[in-house]
Amino acid sequence: MPKTQPEPEMPLESQPPTPPEPESSQRRKKYDGPTPPGSEPKPKNAITIAVSSRALFNMVDDRRIYEEEGLEKYMEYQLTNENVILTPGPAFRFVKALQHVNARLRDLYPDDQELFDIVLMTNNHAQVGVRLINSVNHYGLLIDRFCLTGGKSPIGYLKAYLTNLYLSADSEKVQEAIQEGIASATMFDGAKDMSYCDTQLRVAFDGDAVLFSDESEQIAKEHGLDKFFQHETLFENKPLAQGPLKGFLEDLGRLQKKFYAKDERLLCPIRTYLVTARSAASSGARVLKTLRRWGLEIDEALFLAGAPKGPILVKIRPHIFFDDQMFHIEGAKKLGTITAHVPYGVGQKYHT
């Protein structure tokens, strides 16, 4: 259909500037250009997940060429191998699970536009784009939006894309995004092969400095566990402040309620887990009351009282586990869990 011309017609240079739209109308817009065969317009109220190429695919060897031989050799390598399909990286299974949730949502709500929208966000050069496109298509990934910034940090584009969550293999970029107020994490693949559920997205969160602020963790680190327990008992009825991943849990909860509304609670393709080192008896009530005050549900809460998280996560088999402390990330990774480090809070000071 031919596009309607704006009325009245005016020379481009004489048109008055378009006033900025209110924030509510800027939330998400449909793609208004030609629709590629087999794809749909971008959802209006999408939950945007920005994923770097090195998180989505295994590009360890490619990175080594870049670091040892330089940019020109790297681009030459990518052009020569553009028909060689990249193997999956740490975010791959998570992205596939997001797509399954989208498919289920479309079955129940054919006209609804509140879906996951995945953007490939990378500082790779456009010359690498063909290999990325070939790999995305090979695996049937529904990723229509690419942002290739040619060596420039992509972080400045995250807000323009209205990003809800940014996943990267580059810890410096993740730190930069966190400082910009964007939920972000550095992804690591598990050291062992593990099978994952194909019909349910499973997301596991640590509590302090991930879902919640690091307020209580600061007391534990600086004054010891006794003071921490006293503090949590004293402020049991005061909600914790929000942490960097609270918004993403809200997004998941909002989608879960769509399934509940269709009497699909037991078949919901999203399941959330709280996996925390807190003790239930001494400091668990404040966490649960905080979630209740926020109006959020968590499907399973596991209070480990300082025990290692790795063995529990092997049982859960989450597509992604968020934690702020590298000690827990490393332990879970060794046993095969896909992990995501959130560089936020006092835990970074102690390098744990």
Side-chain angles (χ1 to χ4, degrees):
M1 181 181 292
K3 291 187 178 180
T4 304
Q5 294 298 320
E7 295 181 7
E9 293 188 11
M10 300 173 64
L12 200 59
E13 63 272 11
S14 63
Q15 290 182 9
T18 303
E21 296 179 3
E23 185 176 347
S24 60
S25 67
Q26 292 178 355
R27 171 68 181 153
R28 300 284 186 271
K29 293 185 177 181
K30 284 186 179 180
Y31 172 59
D32 59 4
T35 303
S39 71
E40 299 180 8
K42 183 187 179 312
K44 181 180 179 182
N45 297 308
I47 298 166
T48 300
I49 311 296
V51 183
S52 77
S53 56
R54 288 199 293 134
L56 185 60
F57 298 116
N58 181 346
M59 300 184 73
V60 173
D61 292 339
D62 308 63
R63 183 70 180 177
R64 188 179 299 115
I65 291 169
Y66 172 75
E67 291 175 348
E68 295 178 0
E69 301 183 40
L71 177 59
E72 296 304 319
K73 286 290 185 182
Y74 171 80
M75 289 196 294
E76 180 183 327
Y77 174 82
Q78 295 297 348
L79 288 169
T80 303
N81 291 276
E82 65 181 24
N83 293 315
V84 178
I85 302 304
L86 293 160
T87 56
F92 183 87
R93 294 181 182 90
F94 176 66
V95 167
K96 292 286 281 187
L98 296 179
Q99 290 186 182
H100 176 73
V101 174
N102 280 353
R104 288 285 308 279
L105 282 167
R106 287 191 180 103
D107 287 342
L108 294 176
Y109 301 92
D111 299 322
D112 195 3
Q113 297 176 326
E114 192 169 20
L115 305 163
F116 292 111
D117 181 55
I118 301 147
V119 178
L120 187 61
M121 182 89 57
T122 173
N123 66 345
N124 260 306
H125 288 250
Q127 289 91 328
V128 186
V130 172
R131 190 179 188 196
L132 292 173
I133 290 169
N134 288 340
S135 298
V136 163
N137 290 338
H138 172 81
Y139 293 110
L141 301 178
L142 303 178
I143 305 177
D144 292 322
R145 298 202 294 159
F146 279 37
C147 179
L148 300 105
T149 61
K152 179 182 175 183
S153 172
I155 302 306
Y157 290 100
L158 290 175
K159 287 185 177 179
Y161 277 82
L162 302 173
T163 301
N164 297 78
L165 176 67
Y166 172 59
L167 301 173
S168 175
D170 189 324
S171 59
E172 291 183 6
K173 290 187 178 66
V174 167
Q175 181 67 64
E176 190 181 342
I178 286 276
Q179 290 171 354
E180 291 292 319
I182 296 165
S184 310
T186 309
M187 293 214 65
F188 299 93
D189 224 337
K192 299 179 181 179
D193 287 337
M194 187 185 291
S195 61
Y196 291 85
C197 181
D198 293 328
T199 58
Q200 187 178 63
L201 168 66
R202 298 179 182 177
V203 183
F205 299 89
D206 178 35
D208 295 294
V210 175
L211 290 180
F212 315 114
S213 75
D214 67 336
E215 161 202 333
S216 299
E217 197 165 294
Q218 286 185 42
I219 292 169
K221 293 288 187 187
E222 296 172 7
H223 302 289
L225 285 178
D226 288 343
K227 286 289 185 183
F228 166 76
F229 294 141
Q230 292 173 17
H231 179 270
E232 294 306 283
T233 300
L234 182 63
F235 292 99
E236 178 180 316
N237 294 311
K238 180 185 177 184
L240 289 153
Q242 71 178 46
L245 269 294
K246 184 235 185 180
F248 184 54
L249 179 60
E250 285 179 324
D251 294 330
L252 294 176
R254 195 164 61 251
L255 295 185
Q256 283 180 311
K257 288 176 181 177
K258 289 178 176 290
F259 292 98
Y260 302 165
K262 296 285 189 178
D263 198 25
E264 295 266 333
R265 181 180 284 269
L266 295 180
L267 297 174
C268 182
I270 302 172
R271 192 162 185 84
T272 56
Y273 303 79
L274 173 67
V275 183
T276 173
R278 281 177 178 249
S279 162
S282 56
S283 58
R286 190 180 186 195
V287 162
L288 297 178
K289 288 182 178 181
T290 296
L291 291 171
R292 187 189 306 162
R293 183 73 66 89
W294 288 349
L296 296 179
E297 295 183 27
I298 201 92
D299 292 304
E300 297 188 29
L302 298 105
F303 294 91
L304 302 184
K309 297 181 180 182
I312 293 293
L313 291 165
V314 168
K315 296 297 183 184
I316 295 171
R317 297 176 182 259
H319 294 92
I320 192 167
F321 166 59
F322 296 98
D323 202 295
D324 68 302
Q325 299 191 46
M326 283 304 299
F327 171 78
H328 294 303
I329 294 288
E330 293 291 346
K333 190 172 69 167
K334 285 177 183 177
L335 295 181
T337 298
I338 296 171
T339 55
H341 178 240
V342 182
Y344 175 84
V346 69
Q348 312 317 304
K349 175 182 175 182
Y350 292 86
H351 302 290
T352 57

